[in-house]
Amino acid sequence: MSAIEICDLTRTYSKGSSRRRRSDQHVALDQVNLDVPEGEIHGLLGPNGAGKTTLVKVITTILLPTSGSVRVLTHDVVTDAKAVRRLIGLVLGGDRGLYSRLTVDQNLRYWATLHGLGAREAQHRCGQLIKRFGLEGWANARVETLSRGMKQRVHLARGLVGEARVLLWTNPPPA
């Protein structure tokens, strides 16, 4: 089964105030085709403006495709967006996606709640992730006090708090 299946995906943006004239359209993605089998790791590389972020936004249901189709574990991102959101974990880099004045544990519990986990389940899941990513000594530390590397661990734990089957990671740290 494909984790992500993209067929003839096109995404255009309107330039300026006119939304009708074709000449005023910017093509961000043009007939993209991609198949990522379940259990595989793939990287998406390209220069600024190549459409990487737009592609991630379409896969995660933040943007709609102009044409073509995108499926995540057989669920269409347009017609079954709710199911897609339950299956995907999104890991953002830098300072996005974490609340700096909250502790590591508070951040994870907040995102667990957004994923619909009850209090007991959230406590258990967050404890598992804190242990899995070696964050035990920092569970009660405010995120703003962590090093960049420790913040990346928290980002990754946050992306997995909903038990995602497909994980998308934007701006991973340099190797």
Side-chain angles (χ1 to χ4, degrees), residues 31-126:
Q31 301 281 305
V32 175
N33 291 286
L34 177 66
D35 183 63
V36 179
E38 217 176 344
E40 289 193 9
I41 298 172
H42 286 250
L44 187 61
L45 304 173
N48 290 343
K52 302 177 300 291
T53 300
T54 299
L55 182 60
V56 169
K57 285 180 177 181
V58 172
I59 294 169
T60 57
T61 76
I62 294 169
L63 288 175
L64 293 172
T66 304
S67 65
S69 66
V70 177
R71 295 183 169 282
V72 176
L73 295 167
T74 73
H75 297 276
D76 186 274
V77 298
V78 175
T79 61
D80 204 1
K82 191 173 184 178
V84 170
R85 289 184 200 118
R86 282 193 302 268
L87 294 168
I88 287 182
L90 178 60
V91 178
L92 304 170
D95 294 326
R96 299 173 297 164
L98 296 176
Y99 293 93
S100 62
R101 294 192 174 189
L102 296 180
T103 67
V104 169
D105 185 61
Q106 289 169 334
N107 265 279
L108 294 180
R109 286 180 191 237
Y110 171 76
W111 287 99
T113 301
L114 290 180
H115 279 278
L117 278 67
R120 185 174 294 171
E121 188 180 5
Q123 179 182 3
H124 177 71
R125 181 75 179 138
C126 293

Side-chain angles (χ1 to χ4, degrees), residues 91-98 148 152 155 158 169-173:
V91 178
L92 304 170
D95 294 326
R96 299 173 297 164
L98 296 176
R148 182 175 182 210
Q152 285 296 331
H155 274 296
R158 184 195 53 77
W169 189 342
T170 65
N171 300 322

